[in-house]
């Protein structure tokens, strides 16, 4: 009881600051260990079962809407392939597959799990998503076009 009465406001702020530093260091160590487990850049990303099992179709996908550039968003991964700009972007709780400024598919979730967004443009099957562990990917007709490590 005596110890609690002797702790002043400065001591409480000091304790909170030190706890914050310890938590930050622990998060840094965890991120480093995840980064160490990633394959080298030269190695190909393994395709998940959904990506390799999908059949090509000639019918083009329907456009859901035009991509709104006035809202706050974060581009998770993007690539250019045969004149098409392909991007996956996060708008609030929704990941959108945006091709040439048009949204073709979306995935809405508070916490992200493994998912694949798909569209067919001019007979080309485009698949982009997150493997659930640490990698974003974009495939066109089963060929890897872009990959990106994503820790959070």
């Amino acid at each position: 009881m005596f110890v609690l009465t002797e702790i002043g406001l400065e001591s409480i702020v000091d304790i909170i600051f030190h706890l914050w530093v310890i938590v930050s260091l622990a998060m840094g160590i965890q991120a480093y260990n995840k980064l160490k487990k990633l394959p080298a850049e030269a190695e190909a990303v393994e395709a998940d079962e959904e990506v390799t099992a999908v059949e090509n179709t000639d019918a083009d996908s329907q456009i859901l809407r035009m991509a709104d550039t006035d809202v706050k968003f974060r581009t998770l991964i993007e690539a250019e392939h045969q004149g098409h700009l392909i991007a996956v972007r996060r708008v609030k709780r929704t990941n959108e597959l945006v091709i040439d400024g048009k949204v073709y598919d979306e995935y809405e979730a508070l916490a992200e799990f493994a998912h694949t967004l798909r569209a067919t443009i001019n007979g080309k099957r485009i698949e982009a998503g997150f493997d659930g562990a640490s990698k974003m990917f974009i495939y066109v007709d089963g060929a890897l076009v872009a990959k990106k490590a994503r820790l959070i």
Side-chain angles (χ1 to χ4, degrees):
M1 189 68 147
F2 176 73
V3 174
L4 294 176
T5 58
E6 292 295 318
I7 297 178
L9 182 60
E10 290 179 16
S11 297
I12 292 173
V13 171
D14 192 45
I15 291 170
I16 291 172
F17 174 76
H18 282 86
L19 285 174
W20 175 73
V21 168
I22 291 170
V23 168
S24 297
L25 289 172
M27 289 172 58
I29 291 168
Q30 182 183 19
Y32 171 75
N33 287 331
K34 282 184 180 179
L35 196 58
K36 232 174 36 172
K37 291 178 184 177
L38 291 177
E41 285 296 317
E43 296 178 20
V45 176
E46 294 180 15
D48 63 357
E49 294 172 7
E50 291 180 42
V51 172
T52 56
V54 173
E55 298 177 13
N56 279 339
T57 60
D58 291 332
D60 283 355
S61 299
Q62 293 292 321
I63 299 170
L64 299 179
R65 65 183 170 281
M66 295 300 291
D68 188 359
T69 57
D70 295 334
V71 297
K72 184 178 178 181
F73 67 90
R74 185 174 67 152
T75 302
L76 302 176
I77 188 170
E78 66 182 351
E80 189 171 338
H81 183 72
Q82 296 183 349
H84 294 289
L85 181 62
I86 305 164
V88 176
R89 65 183 206 158
R90 181 104 172 143
V91 180
K92 296 182 183 177
R93 297 185 317 168
T94 305
N95 286 5
E96 300 175 334
L97 174 60
V98 179
I99 304 168
D100 298 330
K102 301 170 187 93
V103 178
Y104 284 90
D105 199 2
E106 59 186 14
Y107 168 79
E108 185 174 344
L110 184 59
E112 288 185 65
F113 298 102
H115 64 278
T116 302
L117 304 170
R118 296 178 177 85
T120 302
I121 309 294
N122 299 330
K124 300 282 185 188
R125 182 71 175 173
I126 299 169
E127 298 170 320
F130 179 58
D131 71 355
S134 63
K135 294 179 191 79
M136 298 290 300
F137 56 85
I138 298 177
Y139 286 92
V140 176
D141 286 337
L144 182 66
V145 174
K147 66 178 177 176
K148 181 179 175 185
R150 183 163 176 223
L151 298 178
I152 296 178

